[in-house]
Structures are given as structure tokens and as C-alpha cells.
Amino acid sequence: MAAAKCEGNSFWDEIEHLTTILRRENRTKQISRLGGERNPPCKDTSRPEVIKKIEFFIEGLLIKLGQNNLPDIQFKNRCSWANVTFEEDVGVGMNKNASETSVKLNASYSVQKYAITLKILRIAYGLLQENVYSTKRDIFYNDVPFFGSQTIVDRAVDDISCMFDVPRHSLHILACSKGYVSGQLSFREHDGNFINCSGNPNGIVIPSHVHGIYDICSDAKAILVVEKDATYQRLLDDNILEKLKPIIMITGKGFPDLNTRLLVKRLWENLEIPVLALVDADPHGVEIMCVYRFGSMSQSYDADNLTVSCMRWIGVLPSDLERLSIDQEAQIPLTEQDRRKISYLLDRPYLKAHGSMQQELLVMLNTGYKAEMQALSGISTGFLTDVFLPIKIKHGKWI
DNA sequence: TGTGGGCTAGTCCATTTGGA
DNA sequence: TCCAAATGGACTAGCCCACA
């Protein structure tokens, strides 16, 4: 079923209506996003500025040591919901007066973290001076016995980004991308390399240096963000890019990495077209959609660059399962962990502000069942591509 | 072909450690 | 004893590769 063949109002009418609303809202938000109690947006700081910040920080440590004081390193606490507030237009952002944790040189339990922080700062300083990039993985393997685990490097890099109030890539430290993008999109990478996503039937790996891409061109009317790679591949096999043309499709393969989130954000900023999320009707699917749409606690200091508040949840909604009479055998009973996860989600500030999403979680809780997107395939082959998504788009059935 | 291990992300909770 | 900070572990999503 081709998109254009839908009867009644034009297939893209609802999307175009949504586009108009979102663009108008975006203008208003840009104007009103001045002042307030929250941290200003995390700046895309230039290389010389970051070098200066590191030098200034080290100078401060040396001055204190010269005064026979043991200098602490202060980090904003990225692990507390008390330190963040939710605002509809920005998502989960860090408070100006967020509590800080101190890494102390005179506390034995802090010494390792102190040393790791200084070592990563030294590495970042070198990368910045040489104007080259490295990955967190490379840094870890640079001295495995010293760091101990990858997690420690990850946390330290994010703490430093937060401390200097700069995005991670401004430290010239990147993470390997895991997301894919396909459809009506072309751009140039930071080195000038031209990328045309529509020329590759399976899409391309999202670049590691998303901030460096430019000349973004697309005539797409919407961006479809898919939770799982399996579903993404299935939709490509079902020829979704032709059936719903023109469209861009992205997957972060589960919880999205920062590069995938950055790309979705950049596409929204450049193209200003609706971003639709297609996730499982289970607690993790909802949480993944929320990470794209509202941001995460640990990256709250960079919310402005990462969250896509205009995103809409197109499916699979827990209420869809009942409406479509999905066979109960295709549904999965909620486990105790699922129920706990739903409780945590219901406590999140952004869900408290979105009654319709809260309602969907309560539907899941009340029915006691969850379902993956594959459950829709049980109705008929190609149901997701040929019926579910076209009808949802045509009738604007998203929240 | 299926399974397990190691890797990429992300989240939250529990435990350990040690200073006040 | 209490509390803050650090760390490990358990869980989610997924991919790739080696091996039985």
C-alpha cells in the first residue's frame, strides 16, 4: 500500500499540520529560553577555549598546592534526580544550584578517581593541542591496569565534560557510533566527505563526529526513530523508504548512544520536520523513547544539545494492543522487574507532566502485559509497514 | 545453527569505604 | 553512628566473533 494511495485526506496532511505546529512552538521556545533557574545551554566550546579551561583548572590546583592546601575537584552530581528539573521545551536539564560531589586528595577512597581525572585531563589536553580525536575505548586500552574498567573511564570523561560545562566532543573524546540512518538525507562529514544515505539500501553508520557534519539536505517530511535494529532492518526489507517516501529512518539499537541522539537533534534543528518514535510497548521501549525526547539524568548538563522535545510516540502504544486485538499469545506477561521499572518511570518528572503517556503506562500495568513490535507481524506479514504506520501517520495517532 | 563471551550504549540500586 | 562518595552489579537494547 503506497502512501499516496490512502483515501480521504492526503496521507501527509496530519504530518504537515504537526510540522506547522512544531515549527511555531520552536520559534516561541527559542525566544522564551532566556534566563530561568537552570544552567544555560552547554556551549559547543571552541578548541582554544577548552585548552584554556584545562590550563586554568590545573593552575588553580597548583596554586592551592603551593599554599600547602590539598585541592579538591568539584563535580556537579549527575546521579541525582534532585539536581535536575524538567521543562517541556528543553527536557531534563541540570539545575544551576545542583549539589556537587568532591573528589578529595586526602581521602583514600577518592585518590584513584583523582588520579584518573587528572590523567584523562592530560590526555584530552594532548588531543586538543594536536587537534586530533580519540575514543573512550582507545583511552581505556591506553592503560588498562591503571583504569581498571571501561566504566570508570566513561564516568570520568562525562564528569569532566560536566565540570567544564562543555559537550563531550569538545574534549576531543568520542564514542564509537552504533546507530544507523537511512532514507532521504545527504550531508558532508567534518572532513568534507559527501554522504548520501539514500544511495545505500541498508543505511549508513552514524558518524562519530556528528557536530562536524554540515550541508544537511533532505526533502523528507518526517523522521522515524526505531528502537531496535531488528525492526529497522525489517522495515527496510518491507521497502518502507519507498512506501512512506520521503522519510528518514534512524535506529540507536536499543538505548541510543550520544551520537545518535545528537544526529536526531541536529536533523530536527536543520529540517524542522516531525520526529516519530517507534518502540516496543514495554517499559524499556518507553524509557528509550523518553531518553530521546526528554533526555537522561546523567547527560542533563548537555540537555540542550541532546533532547528532541518535539518527538511524538507513534507506537506501539499499550492501548494499541487492545485496539488491534493483538493475540494474547503474542503478548508477554509483565515481570516484577517490569512493574518496578514502570513505577520508576511514573515517578519521573517528565511523565508527571504528560498525562497521556502516564495513562499508557497505567494501561500496561492494568492489563499486565507488554508486547514487542514483532507482535504486529502476527496479524499479517507487512502489517507494520503497510497498515499500522500509514494509518497512524494519516490520522495523527501519536502522543 | 545455536551459544557464550566480549564489546557498545544506557539506567538504577546496593554495597563498601572512610571521614565527620 | 551517620552520611557522602565511589564502585560494582544487575538489568535493558544490540552486534560480532569464535567455537562446539
Side-chain angles (χ1 to χ4, degrees):
Chain A
M1 169 171 133
K5 289 179 186 168
C6 284
E7 292 177 3
N9 58 318
S10 164
F11 176 74
W12 289 111
D13 277 359
E14 283 297 330
I15 284 285
E16 279 165 8
H17 179 56
L18 180 62
T19 305
T20 310
I21 294 171
L22 292 175
R23 286 179 181 173
R24 195 184 308 134
E25 282 180 359
N26 200 33
R27 304 280 183 277
T28 314
K29 284 170 185 174
Q30 283 171 0
I31 294 165
S32 66
R33 202 181 294 168
L34 298 168
E37 290 303 309
R38 289 170 48 152
N39 265 344
C42 191
K43 292 173 192 167
D44 189 9
T45 319
S46 70
R47 192 165 63 92
E49 280 179 82
V50 183
I51 289 175
K52 270 185 193 166
K53 281 187 180 222
I54 295 175
E55 288 173 347
F56 184 73
F57 172 78
I58 296 297
E59 192 183 339
L61 293 187
L62 292 174
I63 288 172
K64 282 189 180 171
L65 281 171
Q67 294 165 343
N68 284 329
N69 292 325
L70 291 175
D72 294 348
I73 300 177
Q74 306 278 340
F75 294 119
K76 289 264 174 66
N77 186 353
R78 296 181 299 114
C79 302
S80 169
W81 283 100
N83 276 350
V84 300
T85 47
F86 170 70
E87 282 179 20
E88 185 61 48
D89 54 337
V90 188
V92 175
M94 186 165 271
N95 296 334
K96 265 182 183 173
N97 53 353
S99 65
E100 291 186 332
T101 60
S102 298
V103 181
K104 297 170 184 170
L105 200 50
N106 60 348
S108 56
Y109 60 81
S110 278
V111 169
Q112 193 196 359
K113 173 127 185 185
Y114 205 103
I116 286 168
T117 305
L118 292 183
K119 182 165 180 115
I120 290 178
L121 270 177
R122 183 173 65 78
I123 292 169
Y125 188 71
L127 292 169
L128 284 158
Q129 283 201 317
E130 293 174 31
N131 198 17
V132 293
Y133 290 82
S134 182
T135 65
K136 294 192 290 182
R137 197 83 192 133
D138 282 340
I139 291 173
F140 171 59
Y141 277 115
N142 189 37
D143 197 343
V144 175
F146 179 78
F147 292 116
S149 82
Q150 174 78 50
T151 310
I152 287 173
V153 176
D154 296 348
R155 283 175 180 168
V157 170
D158 287 336
D159 280 338
I160 291 169
S161 300
C162 184
M163 177 172 70
F164 288 149
D165 203 18
V166 296
R168 187 202 287 166
H169 70 90
S170 290
L171 297 171
H172 281 218
I173 297 173
L174 308 171
C176 298
S177 285
K178 61 170 187 160
Y180 272 83
V181 57
S182 57
Q184 307 292 310
L185 175 67
S186 66
F187 56 83
R188 283 190 188 279
E189 291 187 293
H190 70 288
D191 56 3
N193 190 25
F194 180 71
I195 303 290
N196 184 6
C197 300
S198 57
N200 190 327
N202 293 321
I204 59 138
V205 178
I206 291 170
S208 294
H209 192 8
V210 175
H211 271 277
I213 68 176
Y214 60 99
D215 280 355
I216 296 172
C217 292
S218 175
D219 58 355
K221 287 183 184 284
I223 301 166
L224 184 65
V225 177
V226 182
E227 175 191 351
K228 292 178 184 173
D229 185 51
T231 311
Y232 173 85
Q233 295 297 337
R234 175 66 190 268
L235 292 170
L236 285 178
D237 291 344
D238 285 349
N239 212 11
I240 191 170
L241 297 179
E242 277 303 313
K243 289 174 178 171
L244 299 186
K245 197 174 179 178
I247 197 168
I248 296 169
M249 189 162 65
I250 293 175
T251 181
K253 295 182 181 176
F255 276 100
D257 58 345
L258 293 190
N259 292 325
T260 305
R261 291 172 62 189
L262 275 170
L263 181 66
V264 177
K265 176 73 174 186
R266 284 212 61 189
L267 291 181
W268 156 244
E269 285 179 340
N270 281 266
L271 306 174
E272 290 192 313
I273 52 176
V275 183
L276 308 171
L278 181 64
V279 298
D280 286 340
D282 65 18
H284 282 93
V286 178
E287 187 174 24
I288 286 167
M289 187 265 297
C290 290
V291 168
Y292 280 110
R293 184 166 171 176
F294 306 118
S296 62
M297 180 174 60
S298 68
Q299 300 293 330
S300 57
Y301 62 94
D302 196 18
D304 245 69
N305 289 319
L306 295 170
T307 59
V308 186
S309 59
C310 67
M311 179 179 260
R312 294 293 181 267
W313 184 12
I314 194 168
V316 178
L317 307 180
S319 58
D320 287 337
L321 303 178
E322 197 178 3
R323 195 161 39 240
L324 297 168
S325 303
I326 300 289
D327 192 353
Q328 204 152 64
E329 283 182 8
Q331 300 183 41
I332 307 162
L334 290 176
T335 63
E336 268 312 303
Q337 284 162 0
D338 290 329
R339 291 178 187 279
R340 273 203 300 274
K341 177 67 96 180
I342 291 173
S343 299
Y344 295 141
L345 287 172
L346 287 170
D347 272 345
R348 302 263 173 96
Y350 41 73
L351 281 185
K352 286 179 177 169
H354 283 82
S356 51
M357 290 176 63
Q358 213 173 25
Q359 195 57 40
E360 290 294 334
L361 279 174
L362 290 173
V363 167
M364 201 190 302
L365 210 50
N366 291 335
T367 58
Y369 283 92
K370 60 183 179 181
E372 298 183 340
M373 286 176 269
Q374 288 90 324
L376 300 183
S377 306
I379 297 176
S380 69
T381 311
F383 179 81
L384 194 58
T385 320
D386 296 335
V387 182
F388 183 80
L389 285 173
I391 287 180
K392 283 261 179 171
I393 290 173
K394 189 184 177 193
H395 296 289
K397 295 290 183 188
W398 48 65
I399 56 177

